[in-house]
Amino acid sequence: MPQTKPPILQLDDVRLTFRTRAGTVRALNGASLTVHEGEAVGLVGESGSGKSTLARAVLGLNPERSSRIEAGRILIAGRDVTRLSQAEWEAARGHPVAMVFQDPLSFLNPIMRIGRQIAESIERHAPDRRVEQRVGELIELVKLPSSLARAYPHELSGGMRQRALLAVALACEPRLLIADEPTTALDVTTQAEILALLRDLREKLGMAMLLITHDLGIVASACERLYVIYAGRVLEWGRAQDVFGAPAHPYTVGLFHAARADRDAQGRFATIGGEPPDLGETAQGCPFAPRCPKAMAECARAMPHASVLADGETHAVRCWLYPPTRESETAVERLGEA
Amino acid sequence: MPLSIRECAPPAFAMRRMWRRFLAYRAGVLAAAYVLLLVLVALATPFLPGPDPRQISDEVMQAPSLAHLLGTDELGRDVLSGIIHGIEVSLTVGFAAALAATIIGVVIGAAAGYYGGALDLLVMRIAEIFQVVPSFILAAVIVALSGPGLTRVVTVIALLAWPQVARLMRGEVMRIKGLEFVDAVRCLGVREPVILATEVVPNALAPVLAAGTLIVAQAILLEAALSFLGLSSADLVSWGRMLNSGQRFLYNAWWLSVFPGSAIFLTVLAFNLLGDAIGVALNPRTEA
Amino acid sequence: MGAPLLSLRGITHGFRRSGGALVTAVRDVSLEVGEGETVALVGESGSGKSTLGRIALGLIRPDTGRVFIAGRTLGEMSSGELRRARVAFQPIFQDATASLNPRRTVRDLLGQALRQRGADSIAELRIDLLESVGLRPGRVYLERYPHELSGGQRQRLAIARALAMQPRLIVADEPLSGADVSIRGQILNLLSDLKKERGLAYLMITHDISIARAFADRVAVMSQGQVVEQGPAAEVLTRPAQDYTKRLLAAVPELR
């Protein structure tokens, strides 16, 4: 299924490091990812995988002093934002990307009424709009009772706060919404409501979404395509139905088993052995190799190029179990740039 | 994500980070060096050359010169020697009072915070009474009534200062007693007083250390003020006392006031800065 | 079969909010855990399941209702007896970091528990405990502080400390929520091994239906302070009788 719509976000082999006193931490090791207009994409990873760093890099939210994009490009709607300074980010009005976070409380002003915060967001984005009416529309859009415009953040429940933060984000009329673990702090029933709301909003507004999560179940219910990230590298990506139907990378396979609490014939729960990697070390080969049950000699030596899997041009993996062919490399290029 | 990056840090990182936060607070490092110098001089005082500060001579009211670097007073006593010998009094009072106040405050604050209820209410009301009464006036009254003496001065200062420590301790203990590791130890069947002493208090001491250092500064200042009013024993060489006798000659012998005054000012400032630096170092949320 | 290991009868408990209003966290709950049995207490945050867990551990004294340990009420016991009886129930918390005193080394943490139990040859037992939770070889961990361990290792250490008391019941409050997906299987395997080897019973407090399904013999579903449904895990989680349970199951994104 070739994508017909143009990309709203493109990350091209992005390498990002943090300088810490303990040394350099390679948070992103050549991560590539594409989100097309109107598309819902999941970015799945565990803690320390670099998934939040990636999201923050898109909005220039990583600390300017300690983080650096060493290589690669980030394009938003075709515009290169890789080297924007803090000041240039602030000047970038009408930015087509907005973000919501796991903990809305740290992004809502505790002493300002919800309605006022939405209004400020509108004024920043489009000062000429009739603000009051627009606030009402947005509150209705995220399905909050209109009376809550006069409430303060601490008076709201966790789910309502997430809706309020969504309204603030939507005030900028984003073409891409990045949602970083938006439901992790919520109960399952509230989580289901927020996910339904996100689906609904995307349909109504034709907005693309990049959903960052550790929970494969959420991706299954909310995303069309997904990327699996580990130690700052994307190991596998493709249409959700393809990846879920036939996960290829041993890490993805392990994740699926673990998430389902699957058991083997002896009644043992599926595990991924070992510990997540130390990002301070220079990883030459595949970062998952030390934990991989199918690791081979090649794995420690180098990271393979992507290979497109047989089931159409919608599912690719970087793993020596699936050696890249010449044809598939060109196919990957098409898949990324389409 | 910054959290997980910190987790990659090598083991000894937390300790080193504490050091680094302390060193980054430049003024604190300077203050620490100054305090260290004071302590060394105080320890070496008996072995230092120079006249006895109580030694009367004919060279009265001499301005600073090579023979008397900081001049002499109306009885011909050497001011530099007085200031050096005064260090001992100031530091003794400061450290003793701060130590006593900290011990009282830690014990009372920990008990109040941990057991709560009527004990807490009572302790906190008493602490409030001590805090609203102007401490200097109370100290002056007590010393005036009971007579001068270093021990009395220390006792009075400690009595006035413990509520600061107790309040801080109480807050920390209340926070820590609700943490899961305390519950986990409770489930091991450990008795409550043991839990308080071995699990809660050690984790609550950090901010108290900073407060204790600030109390040293307050105590030195209070002692100087009491001496200045003549409320300390006459045979002690103390900065406050020197200032007291010197201020009568402020217009014709400025060195009698300026040098002891500066000693008090610098020392109080140093302990305040040191307390701040310790507070900064022990607070993991400040980034160096 | 004798009396159940833990029996909660008609437990009601409330908290006073800072505003002064009384909030009833647990309302007339009765629940039993038998020897060697695993009971999952499932519910959303604010359903009262953690409060009930703390009542089972004796950390909270309920306003009304009775707690039986092996058939005896807590009220019948002297405070010494109570302390000894309570030791048979050990907690595992969600956040292993918060459940370990940051100033104690592994040696210290386990030694404290073993001494408390009155064990002999503490040094050997310490190593045995570490290795029984998969921290091998045990001696390399002895001098480490909790913050020098990984998340999975910390949770293992917390489990080792609980085992030091030779418990019969482990009250595990969301033991997997703090762990990454790839670590969950390791911890689940460890818990089920311990169940087999030592005949441990579990009261597993969780919001995660997949864990309840994989691990529990019986399930109790809590909502707004009450147990709305309880029964064999297979039954409750496949053919729920109550609307609330149905809603809860429907809300979990499926991964099949």
Side-chain angles (χ1 to χ4, degrees):
Chain A
M1 187 197 70
Q3 286 289 342
T4 47
K5 296 211 172 139
I8 173 78
L9 171 68
Q10 260 180 300
L11 272 83
D12 197 6
D13 202 28
V14 172
R15 285 163 203 277
L16 187 148
T17 56
F18 285 100
R19 274 182 298 115
T20 71
R21 283 196 203 85
T24 303
V25 172
R26 283 161 233 280
L28 295 177
N29 270 315
S32 300
L33 170 150
T34 306
V35 181
H36 300 95
E37 295 270 8
E39 187 186 30
V41 173
L43 180 59
V44 183
E46 300 183 79
S47 59
S49 63
K51 57 187 195 297
S52 293
T53 304
L54 187 152
R56 284 160 184 272
V58 171
L59 284 166
L61 292 178
N62 286 311
E64 206 169 11
R65 280 173 54 202
S66 60
S67 73
R68 218 177 95 82
I69 296 178
E70 309 278 349
R73 288 191 311 165
I74 302 174
L75 301 179
I76 293 174
R79 178 184 178 198
D80 192 334
V81 298
T82 321
R83 308 252 169 253
L84 290 196
S85 69
Q86 217 76 27
E88 285 170 310
W89 273 112
E90 267 151 41
R93 268 168 198 281
H95 191 58
V97 184
M99 189 156 173
V100 291
F101 301 86
Q102 175 175 346
D103 175 20
L105 263 198
S106 32
F107 293 89
L108 291 169
N109 184 339
I111 54 162
M112 198 189 275
R113 295 179 199 278
I114 296 297
R116 186 68 226 134
Q117 300 192 47
I118 300 172
E120 279 203 347
S121 184
I122 298 168
E123 282 158 7
R124 247 192 328 253
H125 171 69
D128 45 332
R129 296 285 294 261
R130 273 180 302 170
V131 173
E132 224 162 284
Q133 184 195 341
R134 181 81 181 123
V135 169
E137 283 169 21
L138 283 165
I139 284 182
E140 198 177 319
L141 194 63
V142 297
K143 304 203 171 83
L144 277 177
S146 56
S147 59
L148 285 188
R150 298 194 53 73
Y152 289 97
H154 71 266
E155 296 171 320
L156 307 183
S157 69
M160 287 174 169
R161 279 175 202 153
Q162 197 55 276
R163 284 167 197 268
L165 187 61
L166 255 175
V168 174
L170 293 177
C172 316
E173 297 177 22
R175 279 150 68 199
L176 170 65
L177 180 73
I178 300 181
D180 189 358
E181 302 270 11
T183 62
T184 303
L186 302 176
D187 280 322
V188 270
T189 47
T190 318
Q191 167 175 300
E193 287 166 22
I194 295 288
L195 290 177
L197 173 67
L198 285 173
R199 217 169 8 240
D200 197 41
L201 286 173
R202 287 207 317 110
E203 245 165 58
K204 247 185 232 163
L205 307 174
M207 170 180 76
M209 176 171 76
L210 179 62
L211 181 68
I212 292 152
T213 179
H214 68 283
D215 189 336
L216 285 161
I218 290 176
V219 174
S221 70
C223 298
E224 296 155 13
R225 287 201 308 128
L226 79 149
Y227 288 77
V228 178
I229 185 170
Y230 183 85
R233 283 197 156 122
V234 175
L235 298 184
E236 181 167 2
W237 61 101
R239 268 198 321 189
Q241 61 203 74
D242 296 334
V243 179
F244 280 66
H249 200 285
Y251 175 63
T252 320
V253 175
L255 267 190
F256 273 101
H257 286 308
R260 283 195 294 238
D262 281 344
R263 301 207 224 194
D264 63 15
Q266 285 81 46
R268 311 290 294 162
F269 291 98
T271 66
I272 300 175
E275 303 277 342
D278 180 352
L279 298 176
E281 288 162 18
T282 324
Q284 263 192 350
C286 172
F288 187 61
R291 302 174 72 185
C292 184
K294 296 183 175 174
M296 303 172 288
E298 292 99 309
C299 300
R301 220 183 49 235
M303 187 76 185
H305 288 291
S307 58
V308 168
L309 299 172
D311 42 0
E313 293 173 10
T314 54
H315 185 183
V317 65
R318 292 184 76 177
C319 176
W320 285 111
L321 290 174
Y322 309 87
T325 58
R326 200 170 283 278
E327 304 91 85
S328 69
E329 258 172 69
T330 43
V332 169
E333 275 158 29
R334 255 181 288 144
L335 181 60
E337 286 167 14
Chain B
M1 206 82 326
L3 250 181
S4 55
I5 285 159
R6 271 199 207 120
E7 279 162 13
C8 310
F13 202 51
M15 257 327 214
R16 255 192 283 151
R17 232 177 12 210
M18 217 148 82
W19 244 130
R20 227 175 284 257
R21 279 195 298 263
F22 183 82
L23 293 182
Y25 199 84
R26 294 284 147 75
V29 178
L30 265 174
Y34 175 77
V35 167
L36 193 67
L37 182 73
L38 280 190
V39 171
L40 290 178
V41 172
L43 290 177
T45 304
F47 313 109
L48 288 180
D52 185 291
R54 294 178 202 81
Q55 182 67 51
I56 298 171
S57 76
D58 298 337
E59 300 171 314
V60 294
M61 301 287 255
Q62 301 232 331
S65 66
L66 273 182
H68 300 281
L69 283 177
L70 302 183
T72 60
D73 70 2
E74 77 278 13
L75 296 176
R77 294 175 296 194
D78 184 60
V79 173
L80 176 62
S81 177
I83 284 183
I84 289 176
H85 282 75
I87 297 174
E88 197 186 333
V89 172
S90 282
L91 287 193
T92 309
V93 170
F95 285 133
L99 191 70
T102 305
I103 292 173
I104 300 171
V106 162
V107 171
I108 293 181
Y114 197 72
Y115 294 105
L119 175 71
D120 185 30
L121 216 62
L122 181 71
V123 165
M124 283 304 113
R125 288 303 89 79
I126 294 173
E128 270 164 24
I129 291 171
F130 274 105
Q131 287 193 310
V132 289
V133 174
S135 56
F136 176 66
I137 294 177
L138 188 62
V141 169
I142 294 174
V143 173
L145 289 180
S146 64
L150 217 49
T151 330
R152 278 202 197 87
V153 173
V154 168
T155 313
V156 166
I157 295 173
L159 278 177
L160 290 170
W162 70 265
Q164 303 169 37
V165 178
R167 279 179 169 278
L168 205 62
M169 192 67 191
R170 171 179 175 267
E172 278 296 290
V173 165
M174 283 173 73
R175 180 179 70 81
I176 291 163
K177 77 171 176 182
L179 297 182
E180 277 177 354
F181 74 81
V182 178
D183 277 341
V185 170
R186 205 166 271 144
C187 288
L188 301 178
V190 179
R191 289 162 202 275
E192 295 297 324
V194 180
I195 294 179
L196 174 59
T198 63
E199 304 290 320
V200 179
V201 169
N203 280 294
L205 280 180
V208 168
L209 226 68
T213 315
L214 297 180
I215 291 176
V216 176
Q218 295 170 19
I220 290 173
L221 194 60
L222 201 53
E223 186 277 330
L226 290 174
S227 300
F228 180 74
L229 293 184
L231 291 169
S232 69
S233 50
D235 49 344
L236 269 183
V237 184
S238 110
W239 295 342
R241 193 147 203 100
M242 291 171 75
L243 202 56
N244 171 33
S245 50
Q247 47 95 22
R248 282 174 289 154
F249 309 108
L250 186 59
Y251 293 107
N252 28 24
W254 55 268
W255 56 90
L256 294 183
S257 307
V258 167
F259 293 121
S262 306
I264 295 168
F265 172 76
L266 281 177
T267 307
V268 169
L269 181 69
F271 276 103
N272 272 313
L273 289 173
L274 190 61
D276 284 351
I278 293 176
V280 169
L282 294 178
N283 182 358
R285 263 176 271 178
T286 40
E287 267 309 320
Chain C
M1 281 290 281
L5 202 50
L6 165 70
S7 172
L8 303 170
R9 300 269 173 78
I11 302 284
T12 297
H13 189 74
F15 293 104
R16 201 161 282 286
R17 277 244 184 90
S18 49
L22 193 71
V23 186
T24 309
V26 176
R27 203 186 301 267
D28 191 26
V29 168
S30 296
L31 188 75
E32 284 182 1
V33 184
E35 287 282 356
E37 190 185 26
T38 300
V39 176
L41 193 55
V42 177
E44 303 192 84
S45 62
S47 64
K49 60 187 196 302
S50 286
T51 305
L52 198 63
R54 295 169 65 81
I55 289 171
L57 284 167
L59 291 171
I60 300 178
R61 211 171 259 279
D63 294 344
T64 55
R66 289 195 289 176
V67 179
F68 294 85
I69 297 179
R72 299 183 66 198
T73 60
L74 298 184
E76 291 167 16
M77 301 182 199
S78 71
S79 68
E81 273 182 308
L82 177 63
R83 249 202 335 269
R84 275 189 298 280
R86 220 164 72 172
V87 163
F89 297 175
Q90 287 298 314
I92 300 175
F93 295 108
Q94 167 174 358
D95 182 358
T97 316
S99 72
L100 300 165
N101 187 339
R103 287 172 187 276
R104 286 182 186 271
T105 57
V106 171
R107 173 196 292 281
D108 228 10
L109 285 161
L110 293 180
Q112 179 186 36
L114 288 167
R115 268 193 302 281
Q116 197 61 35
R117 193 185 92 200
D120 298 323
S121 56
I122 287 176
E124 281 164 48
L125 286 174
R126 211 160 15 205
I127 301 290
D128 289 350
L129 280 170
L130 284 172
E131 304 202 336
S132 71
V133 296
L135 295 173
R136 288 190 204 94
R139 71 192 144 70
V140 308
Y141 294 97
L142 285 179
E143 306 308 327
R144 297 208 192 157
Y145 286 93
H147 71 267
E148 296 169 5
L149 301 174
S150 74
Q153 289 171 339
R154 274 197 289 264
Q155 193 58 283
R156 286 167 189 271
L157 175 61
I159 294 171
R161 177 177 57 187
L163 294 179
M165 305 311 288
Q166 299 182 321
R168 289 153 77 196
L169 170 73
I170 296 231
V171 178
D173 193 348
E174 304 277 10
L176 298 171
S177 302
D180 265 320
V181 186
S182 67
I183 304 297
R184 282 179 19 162
Q186 299 175 12
I187 303 287
L188 276 176
N189 280 334
L190 175 60
L191 293 178
S192 62
D193 287 348
L194 294 172
K195 177 179 176 161
K196 261 181 259 152
E197 287 161 16
R198 306 186 182 223
L200 278 180
Y202 290 101
L203 179 60
M204 177 80 86
I205 298 164
T206 180
H207 70 279
D208 190 332
I209 308 281
S210 68
I211 288 167
R213 183 177 284 140
F215 203 69
D217 304 318
R218 283 197 303 123
V219 170
V221 181
M222 267 191 101
S223 170
Q224 298 180 354
Q226 288 179 301
V227 169
V228 293
E229 180 165 7
Q230 63 176 310
E235 207 166 288
V236 173
L237 297 179
T238 48
R239 292 185 301 280
Q242 296 295 320
D243 283 348
Y244 178 75
T245 315
K246 285 177 191 161
R247 271 209 311 273
L248 196 64
L249 289 175
V252 180
E254 272 305 316
L255 234 195
R256 290 288 155 185

